[in-house]
Amino acid sequence: MTNNNNNQIKVTKEQIKEEIRKNLQEIYNTSELNLLEKGFDFAEEAHQGQKRLTGEDFIFHPLRVALTLSKMRLGAKTVTAGLLHDSVEDTPVTIHQIKKKFGEEVAFLVQSLTKIESVKYHQTERDTILAKENFRNMILAMAKDLRVIFIKLADRLDNLKTLWVLPPEKQQRKASETLEIFAPLAYRLGLTKMGAELEDLAFPYVYPQEYKLTKSILGTRKEELEKYLQRLIPIIKRQLQKNHIQPVKILSRAKHLYSIWRKLQKEDMDINRIFDLVAVRIIVEKVEDCYAALGALHQIWKPVPGRFKDYIALPKPNGYQSLHTTVFAEEGKIVEIQIRTQKMDQEAEWGIAAHWFYQLLKDTKIYKKRKKFRLPSKYHWINQLREWQKKFMDSDEFLESLKVDFFKDRIFVLTPKGDIVDLPDGATPIDFAYQIHTDIGNQAISAKVNGKVVPLDYRLKSGEVVEIITQKHKLPSPTWLEFVKMAETKKKIQEILKKKRVLPEADKKNFKVRLKIICQDKIGLLDKILQIIAKQKITILEHHGKTIRGNAIFSFLLKIKSASHLEGLLKKLKKLKGIQELRIEEKN
Ligand code: MN
């Protein structure tokens, strides 16, 4: 990979700060702008003397991240969190200091980001579309707040620009993670421009051969087309004006390289079959103008049949709206034309963030009074987000709603190999084990979360790495039925216990079981156990006990009259203080 950093224009810290201030001045008040200034000083002090691998002062990275966020008009708190995003990880600064100085919310954003950072995306052979989708969902679920995702994307964007500085193995990992996880996340949030930028930055690292091939197939075609389109623009302008449409802007837009590559694959590598390498984009004021402009252009240039798309009436799943048509233009050349309003254009670049911005402007400038805000129903990209609509009363509530847990009742945990398992909230390591494989569930003896042993009834949380330790020929404990979360797990446990006759059939009469009780080695406990057994009218055929590492293990051979007697016994024993585990096994 060549160092293509040399032709970058040197920008000073002050210039970046000034641009951030300018982006926010429009919509934010003095106290919010003060927060930002505090953020500038704090970040600069925290990263004092630190260098990035590229040799530049570290502070440039958080500044550029904040700049991207300010372009998205995401608000002073988010931009400030962007400034501070690396300060807890890489400097002696603590999260408490940030909380004290910048408040709960900024601290929350910084901390959530650190959490996401700790999850690594592992590419494995079993990588499927579902696995990637799960990982994206996990990131969303862990973020708990869309602003965290925005900061993460801005961070990734800047890091990719200096990816060349990292060792090849890391380049590869970061770049493929970008193509598989972060760019799709950006698109899903409607951040089209960000998604395209991320893809083009990662493309040469992940597919160097394909990247070169695409560039050579493309050759000078893009430049030639752009020149040609420049000649079309005045013709379009005249035709629109003749029809009393005043365009806001007309520009030519080139398709980004990675999407050209994807399209080439679909079109048998024939560049001549890609009609939207460069497209003309017409921005007009009103929705009506979009359709009027379309009609006007079809009068002078015949449309290519089957190429017209009305994404205004039928938006794309991520909310994208525009009219697309392909026409035979001057000299019979085929050209794609996109027509949309200014608002649609903004949204296409900034997605959900743009909605927020528009609402904010409306609230602060035009409508002073609270007005009901509804996120357009076209955002169907995730069912949970639809809930938002009901909650949006004003921009404050919008902010609040960004905190909504997208997956309120789901969690996403990882296997030690990096596979993601999607579980209901409240699931335990046993539920996890049975999701992996019934045998792993059946033979589970203990569990580790992030490397530490946890009790089997531990409630798992998103992002945790769960490892199950198994032992051959081991059977599940009936006590698991008390705490497992999923009905499916319960069913599997009951099945095996019945099959192995550990759990007697309900109508079973007069049988023997071996009961093992693991409990604290406490004086008097054995007496209590014996009393309970006697009360249930159960005969003890034999019993013995031993002590291991402070625990007592009692083993009883019992003669039981009916299944309900046994059930009653287990219930009473479970309530006894100091009992850790009960195991039963049917004997012949
Ligand atoms: Mn960073």
Side-chain angles (χ1 to χ4, degrees):
M1 198 53 44
T2 50
N3 176 341
N4 49 12
N5 202 34
N6 294 332
N7 47 14
Q8 262 179 19
I9 310 150
K10 273 270 174 237
V11 190
T12 68
K13 280 184 271 183
E14 268 320 306
Q15 279 170 321
I16 303 178
K17 286 185 196 171
E18 207 37 56
E19 208 180 329
I20 297 173
R21 287 186 194 108
K22 216 174 69 203
N23 287 338
L24 295 180
Q25 247 150 19
E26 234 183 301
I27 33 173
Y28 292 98
N29 60 34
T30 335
S31 84
E32 286 169 313
L33 290 170
N34 282 343
L35 188 81
L36 188 70
E37 294 301 327
K38 268 204 300 191
F40 284 146
D41 295 342
F42 192 88
E44 208 158 340
E45 201 176 312
H47 295 295
Q48 187 76 51
Q50 271 184 336
K51 297 267 184 210
R52 298 207 97 205
L53 288 175
T54 55
E56 77 175 338
D57 286 347
F58 195 95
I59 187 67
F60 278 98
H61 167 64
L63 277 176
R64 283 190 300 255
V65 169
L67 178 63
T68 304
L69 293 164
S70 75
K71 281 182 190 160
M72 296 160 81
R73 306 291 207 273
L74 272 167
K77 279 177 188 152
T78 316
V79 177
T80 307
L83 281 171
L84 305 176
H85 82 274
D86 274 328
S87 62
V88 176
E89 281 280 273
D90 302 339
T91 79
V93 169
T94 67
I95 197 76
H96 300 287
Q97 276 171 286
I98 290 184
K99 204 182 272 182
K100 239 170 121 188
K101 200 149 182 151
F102 298 94
E104 293 272 352
E105 219 172 312
V106 173
F108 164 78
L109 294 174
V110 173
Q111 201 165 24
S112 307
L113 205 77
T114 315
K115 247 185 231 161
I116 292 183
E117 218 59 48
S118 68
V119 187
K120 294 273 177 291
Y121 176 64
H122 298 272
Q123 245 186 332
T124 63
E125 278 168 39
R126 295 160 318 248
D127 238 359
T128 58
I129 291 168
L130 189 70
K132 287 167 195 164
E133 178 61 19
N134 269 338
F135 194 86
R136 289 190 285 266
N137 286 344
M138 180 174 73
I139 295 280
L140 281 174
M142 284 178 71
K144 293 209 167 78
D145 187 321
L146 276 186
R147 291 173 297 172
V148 178
I149 304 287
F150 292 139
I151 301 171
K152 176 72 203 171
L153 292 173
D155 178 44
R156 177 52 57 100
L157 185 69
D158 193 58
N159 283 334
L160 282 181
K161 287 179 185 161
T162 54
L163 200 58
W164 51 269
V165 85
L166 293 179
E169 185 228 331
K170 261 195 169 172
Q171 290 178 349
Q172 189 63 30
R173 187 164 59 74
K174 293 254 174 202
S176 60
E177 188 184 68
T178 303
L179 283 187
E180 282 161 13
I181 305 300
F182 291 105
L185 261 181
Y187 285 121
R188 190 197 269 184
L189 295 170
L191 301 167
T192 328
K193 196 182 165 197
M194 167 91 77
E197 269 188 275
L198 288 170
E199 282 179 343
D200 271 3
L201 286 165
F203 186 25
Y205 294 97
V206 184
Y207 304 109
Q209 296 305 326
E210 292 82 348
Y211 172 78
K212 276 186 209 143
L213 182 66
T214 309
K215 282 198 102 169
S216 76
I217 289 177
L218 196 59
T220 52
R221 198 175 291 258
K222 209 149 128 181
E223 288 72 23
E224 284 158 20
L225 266 167
E226 256 162 0
K227 262 187 217 150
Y228 168 72
L229 291 187
Q230 286 308 316
R231 285 192 278 132
L232 292 189
I233 288 176
I235 305 175
I236 294 172
K237 211 172 198 171
R238 237 177 296 135
Q239 177 66 4
L240 292 182
Q241 281 163 348
K242 226 166 91 186
N243 287 272
H244 313 290
I245 305 156
Q246 197 55 53
V248 180
K249 333 180 227 202
I250 302 174
L251 33 111
S252 70
R253 293 293 289 200
K255 201 173 184 61
H256 74 287
L257 209 61
Y258 186 65
S259 78
I260 293 174
W261 161 246
R262 267 187 316 210
K263 205 130 191 197
L264 275 173
Q265 287 173 296
K266 271 192 232 158
E267 304 289 353
D268 297 329
M269 305 307 283
D270 184 355
I271 192 91
N272 295 313
R273 278 156 67 175
I274 304 180
F275 299 125
D276 57 350
L277 272 183
V278 179
V280 178
R281 186 172 297 165
I282 303 171
I283 314 287
V284 292
E285 262 195 68
K286 294 178 299 226
V287 177
E288 304 90 271
D289 297 342
C290 295
Y291 291 98
L294 179 80
L297 293 172
H298 282 177
Q299 277 170 25
I300 52 167
W301 296 322
K302 272 200 175 16
V304 177
R307 300 272 315 172
F308 169 66
K309 285 183 192 106
D310 184 351
Y311 293 122
I312 294 180
L314 291 168
K316 284 191 186 178
N318 67 0
Y320 176 81
Q321 283 190 302
S322 188
L323 295 179
H324 288 190
T325 185
T326 307
V327 296
F328 297 100
E330 303 302 297
E331 299 151 36
K333 280 192 180 165
I334 295 174
V335 173
E336 184 179 288
I337 301 176
Q338 306 171 346
I339 311 168
R340 56 177 82 153
T341 65
Q342 206 157 13
K343 184 163 181 260
M344 290 171 192
D345 194 47
Q346 274 279 331
E347 281 176 18
E349 280 195 5
W350 300 119
I352 286 174
H355 275 282
W356 189 21
F357 173 56
Y358 275 103
Q359 187 54 31
L360 220 63
L361 276 186
K362 246 174 156 183
D363 280 351
T364 49
K365 296 207 169 140
I366 308 161
Y367 305 95
K368 286 277 181 225
K369 277 184 200 159
R370 290 188 163 197
K371 257 211 140 197
K372 206 168 185 167
F373 176 44
R374 298 176 69 87
L375 191 78
S377 58
K378 63 186 178 167
Y379 281 96
H380 286 311
W381 55 276
I382 223 161
N383 277 338
Q384 280 85 345
L385 287 184
R386 242 186 263 158
E387 297 277 329
W388 287 15
Q389 293 177 48
K390 298 175 203 147
K391 292 173 186 152
F392 294 161
M393 299 300 288
D394 62 16
S395 55
D396 276 347
E397 272 181 50
F398 186 92
L399 193 91
E400 199 51 46
S401 68
L402 285 177
K403 289 179 200 152
V404 163
D405 238 326
F406 311 105
F407 302 96
K408 253 201 183 102
D409 31 21
R410 304 301 296 178
I411 57 160
F412 300 88
V413 296
L414 296 123
T415 69
K417 282 185 183 154
D419 288 332
I420 290 170
V421 183
D422 171 0
L423 297 167
D425 190 26
T428 63
I430 295 297
D431 293 292
F432 169 87
Y434 276 98
Q435 286 303 299
I436 302 294
H437 196 280
T438 306
D439 286 345
I440 297 192
N442 288 340
Q443 298 172 5
I445 50 164
S446 70
K448 281 183 183 173
V449 164
N450 297 341
K452 280 187 201 133
V453 177
V454 294
L456 291 175
D457 61 355
Y458 176 84
R459 305 287 155 181
L460 297 168
K461 289 187 278 299
S462 274
E464 288 179 334
V465 179
V466 189
E467 188 185 342
I468 301 294
I469 293 103
T470 58
Q471 195 181 71
K472 277 220 166 121
H473 311 304
K474 165 92 176 38
L475 286 176
S477 159
T479 55
W480 293 355
L481 293 167
E482 305 277 307
F483 61 73
V484 293
K485 171 76 184 174
M486 297 162 76
E488 194 188 327
T489 315
K490 252 179 217 169
K491 217 178 125 207
K492 282 182 183 164
I493 295 173
Q494 277 162 345
E495 251 165 39
I496 180 84
L497 290 181
K498 273 181 188 154
K499 199 169 137 207
K500 297 282 178 189
R501 301 205 288 167
V502 174
L503 266 192
E505 307 290 335
D507 53 1
K508 187 110 184 174
K509 299 257 187 295
N510 295 319
F511 54 95
K512 285 185 217 163
V513 296
R514 165 81 57 197
L515 169 66
K516 265 193 186 166
I517 302 177
I518 302 167
C519 57
Q520 287 169 5
D521 189 14
K522 227 165 59 177
I523 297 168
L525 195 53
L526 179 61
D527 285 341
K528 279 184 192 154
I529 292 170
L530 292 171
Q531 272 170 24
I532 290 173
I533 296 176
K535 260 196 193 147
Q536 293 294 315
K537 303 205 163 56
I538 288 171
T539 320
I540 300 173
L541 299 173
E542 61 174 67
H543 91 88
H544 50 84
K546 58 182 170 189
T547 322
I548 296 173
R549 276 180 253 122
N551 281 335
I553 301 173
F554 299 114
S555 175
F556 298 91
L557 187 64
L558 304 172
K559 200 176 143 198
I560 310 238
K561 275 188 185 151
S562 78
S564 66
H565 280 89
L566 178 63
E567 231 171 80
L569 172 69
L570 292 176
K571 236 183 208 160
K572 289 245 162 67
L573 285 175
K574 264 174 221 158
K575 283 185 191 149
L576 209 56
K577 245 184 112 183
I579 299 279
Q580 278 155 354
E581 205 185 324
L582 300 173
R583 284 186 205 157
I584 50 167
E585 199 181 320
E586 196 175 349
K587 289 279 161 197
N588 291 318

